[in-house]
């Protein structure tokens, strides 16, 4: 019902919705062009080819776009939160329903087209195990970014307003994950492996797909992203218990 209401309201301003989608597609295209220009100049990055990096790029953008579409409401708390608390329904479900950004599907569509284009250029990606790995990477990426939005909301209960520094771990992580993480300093890869486990859904499965490792454990590492939900949900619940109404 929430989705239906948001979609109906968007279609009331159909042209604006289409323009917003086109803007999101343009954002992805310009990011895609920057990678093309980079590889046109240097040929490869630390031995990673253009197609290798495109897998990272497209999966990162796809997962972030889906998470942003459905979980961005956690980034926009206001004085209406009291109304959510007095309704006899799940608080998380209600927050999800406050804001659904269908326009983000434009970016999602663009990244999906890039994935299909990469697969067409590399038929070996159609192997069952590699397709499963790509699917798990996409699902795991959605889980990581969605959990980050929930974590960000939980912290907001203590800071009274959204912290811009948290965008480092959402928008910043998305941009960083466009490339294989071992091209950065070692501490960056370690941070995104043990603290914010983005490497488990992006970098390590990529190594299996491009056959830099034949360890099948790398194929299933994205499944462990589900454990990242736990600390984010705990912070959310602690913040919820500490919440004090403004009385507005």
């Amino acid at each position: 019902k929430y989705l239906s209401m948001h979609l109906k309201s968007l279609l009331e301003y159909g042209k604006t919705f289409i323009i917003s989608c086109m803007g999101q597609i343009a954002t992805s295209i310009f990011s895609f062009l920057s990678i093309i220009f980079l590889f046109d100049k240097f040929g490869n990055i630390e031995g990673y080819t253009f197609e290798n990096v495109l897998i990272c790029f497209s999966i990162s953008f796809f997962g972030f776009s889906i998470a942003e579409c459905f979980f961005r409401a956690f980034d926009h708390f206001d004085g209406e939160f009291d109304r959510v608390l007095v309704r006899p329904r799940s608080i998380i479900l209600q927050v999800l329903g406050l804001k659904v950004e269908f326009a983000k599907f434009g970016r999602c569509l663009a990244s999906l087209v890039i994935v299909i284009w990469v697969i067409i250029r590399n038929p070996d990606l159609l192997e069952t195990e590699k397709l499963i790995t790509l699917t798990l990477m996409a699902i795991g990426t959605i889980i990581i970014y969605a959990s980050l939005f929930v974590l960000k909301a939980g912290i907001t209960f203590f800071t009274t307003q959204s912290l811009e520094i948290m965008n480092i771990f959402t928008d910043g992580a998305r941009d960083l994950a466009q490339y294989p993480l071992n091209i950065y300093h070692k501490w960056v890869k370690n941070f995104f492996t043990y603290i914010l486990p983005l490497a488990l859904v992006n970098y390590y499965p990529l190594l299996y797909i491009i056959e830099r490792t034949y360890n099948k454990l790398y194929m299933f590492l994205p499944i462990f992203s589900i454990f990242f939900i736990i600390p984010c949900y705990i912070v959310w619940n602690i913040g919820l218990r500490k919440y004090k109404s403004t009385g507005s």
Side-chain angles (χ1 to χ4, degrees):
K1 288 182 179 179
Y2 274 129
L3 292 175
S4 176
M5 287 188 293
H6 281 292
L7 190 57
K8 285 179 180 178
S9 65
L10 282 174
L11 293 179
E12 288 295 319
Y13 304 93
K15 292 181 180 178
T16 302
F17 174 59
I18 292 172
I19 292 172
S20 297
C21 286
M22 294 300 293
Q24 293 298 322
I25 292 174
T27 299
S28 299
I29 290 174
F30 283 121
S31 298
F32 175 58
L33 288 175
S34 69
I35 295 176
I36 292 178
F37 296 148
L38 181 67
F39 276 88
D40 183 60
K41 180 69 174 178
F42 298 105
N44 70 82
I45 301 177
E46 295 287 338
Y48 292 100
T49 65
F50 177 60
E51 285 81 5
N52 296 159
V53 171
L54 277 189
I55 294 173
C56 282
F57 168 81
S58 56
I59 293 296
S60 179
F61 260 71
F62 178 81
F64 183 83
S65 300
I66 294 294
E68 191 176 32
C69 176
F70 294 104
F71 285 82
R72 205 36 131 166
F74 284 94
D75 198 24
H76 298 281
F77 278 170
D78 53 32
E80 296 183 353
F81 189 68
D82 288 6
R83 187 169 62 183
V84 171
L85 294 176
V86 298
R87 291 172 175 170
R89 286 292 183 271
S90 164
I91 294 175
I92 287 183
L93 177 63
Q94 290 186 72
V95 174
L96 286 173
L98 290 175
K99 187 178 183 68
V100 180
E101 298 189 359
F102 282 107
K104 302 301 181 184
F105 275 120
R107 191 188 303 172
C108 173
L109 179 62
S111 56
L112 189 60
V113 169
I114 293 171
V115 171
I116 295 172
W117 184 69
V118 172
I119 291 175
I120 292 174
R121 285 172 60 95
N122 299 270
D124 60 303
L125 293 177
L126 289 172
E127 294 176 10
T128 303
E129 290 184 351
K130 292 183 177 180
L131 282 177
I132 291 173
T133 306
L134 283 171
T135 303
L136 291 176
M137 287 172 67
I139 295 172
T141 303
I142 294 170
I143 291 173
I144 293 292
Y145 286 123
S147 299
L148 278 174
F149 284 124
V150 175
L151 175 63
K152 187 176 181 180
I155 293 174
T156 301
F157 287 118
F158 300 96
T159 59
T160 69
Q161 63 180 358
S162 180
L163 293 177
E164 286 298 320
I165 194 173
M166 286 300 295
N167 289 334
I168 295 174
F169 304 109
T170 52
D171 301 71
R174 177 203 64 198
D175 293 336
L176 206 69
Q178 291 179 18
Y179 301 92
L181 291 174
N182 72 324
I183 70 172
Y184 306 110
H185 286 290
K186 185 176 179 181
W187 70 266
V188 175
K189 187 179 74 172
N190 288 338
F191 177 84
F192 284 102
T193 298
Y194 302 108
I195 307 300
L196 174 54
L198 199 58
L200 300 184
V201 301
N202 190 293
Y203 169 63
Y204 294 112
L206 174 71
L207 296 181
Y208 181 78
I209 288 176
I210 64 178
E211 298 179 353
R212 287 201 172 193
T213 179
Y214 293 95
N215 186 346
K216 288 195 175 184
L217 175 62
Y218 283 47
M219 172 183 173
F220 296 104
L221 282 178
I223 295 175
F224 290 96
S225 63
I226 196 168
F227 292 108
F228 187 61
I229 297 174
I230 298 173
C232 297
Y233 185 67
I234 289 173
V235 172
W236 160 265
N237 275 326
I238 292 174
L240 197 60
R241 288 197 293 269
K242 297 290 184 180
Y243 174 73
K244 293 182 179 179
S245 171
T246 61
S248 61

